[in-house]
């Protein structure tokens, strides 16, 4: 679809795809390409098999457009009885908070894999923009499940700024054919395949960071709403597997979000959760996903995957087997499987952009399949909000999207011959977290060509070049604008006792909170500023040089900002990524 077609795709005007059904009095979506009057909604040839004359799909969900919604009013499903206790239990003996539950269709269960990030959200952009019909939004709204995770979702008033979206793959085994992938009595699931998607503030790049399910991590206590009442679920006693952050003891997706934030220091704005069935429906909706194998895979016992080396197009059950298979891969570990999952998703993104987004029929199928398998937080709990989010994601060029796995090492607490879990790499993991926090691209993002900005950056960097004054000659007043109680005094103690900056003074709270730490000084104090910046690890952008010289014995002014991490902790982040095996989304690679 291009600008010249004025909203048309494949010679079809989106407005012409809605026709009046004289039997129901409703307008219905026609996705076939015929020019004549479409069959009535009770006809076997009507768009969408299984639609009855009353405009409902066999299974009870309405497919006919609803009345025009009142602006700002959310359409709700009819109230349904709670599921039996056995349907709400977990492997850990707890209960899943019953948020806006809906009746399951036969053989379906709910949420899995990060396909929806590309398949679902990117599809919303075209569905919302090309058709622009409220009936589609109503239909997609009716597909969604929404969970209130409280302040675990650190939402902003708009989609501006950097975005961190947690994609949770639920390993629940219910659903036809899924019992072969594990214990079919597991009706709640755990956080299996999990990605943290970071979208840079300027939308030039994005990072999809995989988190291994077998990562040993501490899970914090988690306020969770159960039957409308907030219950605090205790955290783990010591370290446990990351996948237990959801499902065990009734932990909701907010617990997984809190676990990631505690682990990385990164705030999570939103979450999305899908299950095994989503892999089948989404991969089929896009017409299959191209994958490549360096070696053949023949798993007779578990996934039943049998593929020779080379390129293949997988969909449905075979796509799920490809994503779940780990036997015959390297060490047969989750880390090896993650590489295949990343390849699958990168390939699907390319296919969506090159093929699916140009077809209204495929586009609708993808959006319908994605939302039907989707659970989200309240902040993105409608099709309209997902459209807004999707538009932000769509701004990032594929070549600047990087897939990587959080750096880990073998768990040192396990014997070498029986190592089954991993822990964070103490050196590389903090570097990765810092780069994400500071919007540093993992791809070779083209530098902005504004000469003025380049000149300013060079001039700012030069402020750190030159002689440094002895610590005993550095004079500085410290103000606390970080919002952390006692930050100024802690800094003074560190400067005086460990750095020898005796002429430092605690000036208490700053007039207002500061987003970034900054050091203001006069030109004749430049050597003091460079010395203090070196001690504290201040970036060049933190230095604010005035125009007039300071009087003798006049101190500099240091304001601690929200980026303050503790006295003596450097505030500069790495500018080059450590090698963690990252893969760019536009590159075609073979797994194994």
């Amino acid at each position: 679809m291009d600008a010249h077609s004025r909203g048309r795709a494949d010679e079809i005007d989106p407005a012409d795809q809605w026709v009046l059904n004289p039997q129901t009095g409703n307008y219905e979506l026609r996705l076939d390409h015929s020019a004549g009057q479409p069959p009535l909604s009770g006809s076997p040839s009507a768009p969408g098999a299984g639609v009855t004359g009353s405009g409902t799909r066999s299974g009870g969900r309405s497919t006919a457009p609803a009345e025009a919604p009142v602006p700002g009013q959310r359409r709700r499903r009819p109230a349904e009885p709670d599921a039996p206790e056995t349907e709400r239990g977990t492997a850990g003996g707890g209960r899943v908070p019953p948020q806006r539950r809906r009746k399951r269709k036969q053989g379906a269960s709910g949420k899995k894999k990060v396909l929806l990030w590309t398949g679902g959200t990117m599809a919303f952009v075209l569905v919302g923009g090309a058709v622009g019909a409220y009936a589609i939004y109503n239909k997609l709204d009716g597909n969604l499940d929404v969970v209130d995770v409280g302040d675990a979702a650190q939402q902003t008033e708009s989609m501006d700024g950097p975005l961190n979206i947690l994609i949770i793959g639920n390993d629940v085994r219910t659903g036809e054919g899924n019992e072969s992938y594990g214990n079919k009595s597991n009706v709640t699931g755990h956080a299996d395949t999990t990605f943290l998607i970071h979208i840079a503030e300027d939308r030039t790049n994005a990072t999809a960071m995989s988190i291994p399910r077998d990562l040993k991590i501490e899970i914090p206590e988690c306020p969770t709403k159960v039957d409308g009442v907030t219950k605090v679920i205790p955290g783990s006693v010591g370290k446990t597997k990351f996948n237990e952050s959801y499902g065990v003891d009734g932990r909701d997706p907010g617990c997984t979000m809190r676990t990631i934030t505690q682990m990385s220091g990164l705030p999570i704005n939103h979450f999305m959760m899908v299950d095994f069935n989503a892999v089948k429906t989404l991969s089929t909706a896009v017409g299959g996903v191209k994958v490549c194998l360096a070696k053949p895979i023949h798993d007779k016992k578990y996934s039943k995957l049998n593929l020779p080396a080379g390129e293949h197009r997988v969909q449905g059950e075979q796509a799920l087997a490809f994503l779940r298979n780990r036997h015959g891969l390297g060490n047969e570990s989750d880390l090896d499987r993650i590489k295949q999952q990343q390849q699958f998703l990168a390939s699907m993104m390319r296919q969506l952009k090159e093929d699916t987004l140009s077809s209204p029929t495929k586009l609708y199928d993808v959006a319908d399949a994605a939302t039907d398998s989707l659970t989200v937080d309240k902040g993105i709990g409608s099709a309209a909000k997902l459209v807004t989010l999707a538009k932000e994601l769509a701004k990032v060029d594929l070549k600047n999207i990087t897939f990587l796995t959080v750096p880990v090492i073998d768990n040192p607490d396990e014997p070498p011959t029986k190592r089954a879990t991993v822990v964070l790499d103490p050196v590389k993991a903090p570097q990765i977290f810092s780069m994400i926090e500071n919007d540093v691209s993992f791809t070779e993002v083209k530098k902005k060509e504004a000469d003025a900005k380049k000149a300013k950056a060079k001039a700012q960097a030069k402020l750190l070049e030159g002689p440094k004054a002895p610590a005993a000659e550095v004079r500085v007043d410290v103000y606390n604008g970080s919002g952390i109680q006692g930050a100024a005094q802690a800094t003074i103690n560190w400067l005086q006792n460990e750095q020898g900056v005796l002429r430092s003074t605690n000036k208490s709270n700053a007039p207002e909170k500061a987003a970034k730490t900054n050091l203001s000084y006069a030109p004749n104090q430049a050597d003091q500023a460079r010395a203090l910046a070196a001690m504290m690890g201040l970036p060049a952008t933190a230095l604010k040089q005035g125009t007039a010289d300071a009087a003798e014995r006049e101190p500099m002014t240091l304001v601690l900002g929200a980026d303050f991490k503790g006295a003596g902790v450097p505030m500069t982040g790495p500018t080059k990524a450590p090698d963690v095996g990252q893969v760019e989304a536009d590159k075609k690679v073979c797994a194994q």
Side-chain angles (χ1 to χ4, degrees), residues 125-148:
V125 176
L126 270 292
V127 170
V131 182
Y134 68 81
I136 280 189
Y137 285 96
N138 283 347
K139 170 64 167 62
L140 300 181
D141 276 357
N143 287 352
L144 290 170
D145 278 341
V146 180
V147 173
D148 183 359

Side-chain angles (χ1 to χ4, degrees), residues 279-300:
V279 176
K280 302 176 186 179
T281 56
L282 281 170
S283 60
T284 301
V286 300
V289 178
K290 291 182 180 179
V291 297
C292 180
L293 295 176
K295 299 177 182 178
I297 294 178
H298 190 190
D299 180 11
K300 298 180 180 179

Side-chain angles (χ1 to χ4, degrees), residues 322-459:
F322 180 83
L323 289 171
R324 291 297 301 165
N325 175 76
R326 61 185 174 86
H327 297 279
L329 302 177
N331 296 321
E332 299 190 354
S333 69
D334 187 47
L335 295 177
D336 294 313
R337 177 166 53 190
I338 283 174
K339 297 174 184 177
Q340 285 198 168
Q341 295 168 346
Q342 292 174 346
Q343 180 205 157
F344 183 94
L345 296 175
S347 177
M348 187 174 188
M349 291 168 66
R350 292 192 297 270
Q351 183 167 330
L352 279 163
K353 189 169 186 178
E354 297 167 1
D355 176 45
T356 307
L357 298 184
S358 63
S359 168
T361 305
K362 287 185 179 180
L363 194 58
Y364 179 82
D365 289 343
V366 170
D368 189 33
T371 52
D372 198 36
S373 302
L374 186 58
T375 297
V376 298
D377 62 273
K378 290 177 64 177
I380 50 174
S382 69
K385 291 178 180 178
L386 285 171
V387 167
T388 302
L389 174 60
K391 289 179 179 178
E392 297 303 311
L393 302 178
K395 294 176 182 177
V396 183
D397 195 304
L398 279 180
K399 69 180 180 181
N400 295 328
I401 299 175
T402 303
F403 287 87
L404 58 88
T405 303
V406 62
V408 295
I409 59 175
D410 288 334
N411 186 352
D413 295 332
E414 295 176 340
T417 57
K418 295 184 179 180
R419 283 180 175 166
T421 62
V422 293
V423 296
L424 291 176
D425 186 311
V427 176
K428 292 183 177 180
Q431 291 179 315
I432 295 297
F433 299 150
S434 179
M435 291 187 69
I436 291 176
E437 181 181 15
N438 290 284
D439 266 0
V440 178
S441 174
F442 288 83
T443 61
E444 293 297 324
V445 180
K446 188 175 181 180
K447 296 182 185 292
K448 296 182 179 179
E449 299 178 352
D451 292 337
K453 189 170 184 178
K454 284 185 178 181
K456 181 179 179 180
K458 289 181 179 179

Side-chain angles (χ1 to χ4, degrees), residues 85 88-97 188 231 233 247-251:
E85 197 69 29
R88 297 163 61 186
T90 73
R95 302 170 64 209
V96 173
T188 301
K231 171 186 175 183
I233 300 175
V248 174
D249 296 329
R251 293 184 180 122

Side-chain angles (χ1 to χ4, degrees), residues 159-163 199-205 392 395-397:
M159 291 291 180
D160 296 333
L163 290 172
I199 313 298
E201 182 172 11
D202 61 4
R203 306 303 187 248
T204 60
N205 65 93
E392 297 303 311
K395 294 176 182 177
V396 183
D397 195 304

Side-chain angles (χ1 to χ4, degrees), residues 162-166 196-199 257 266-271 436:
L163 290 172
N164 291 321
I165 305 163
L166 191 65
L196 175 61
I197 311 297
H198 173 77
I199 313 298
M257 299 169 77
L266 300 170
I268 310 299
N269 305 108
H270 302 288
F271 88 88
I436 291 176

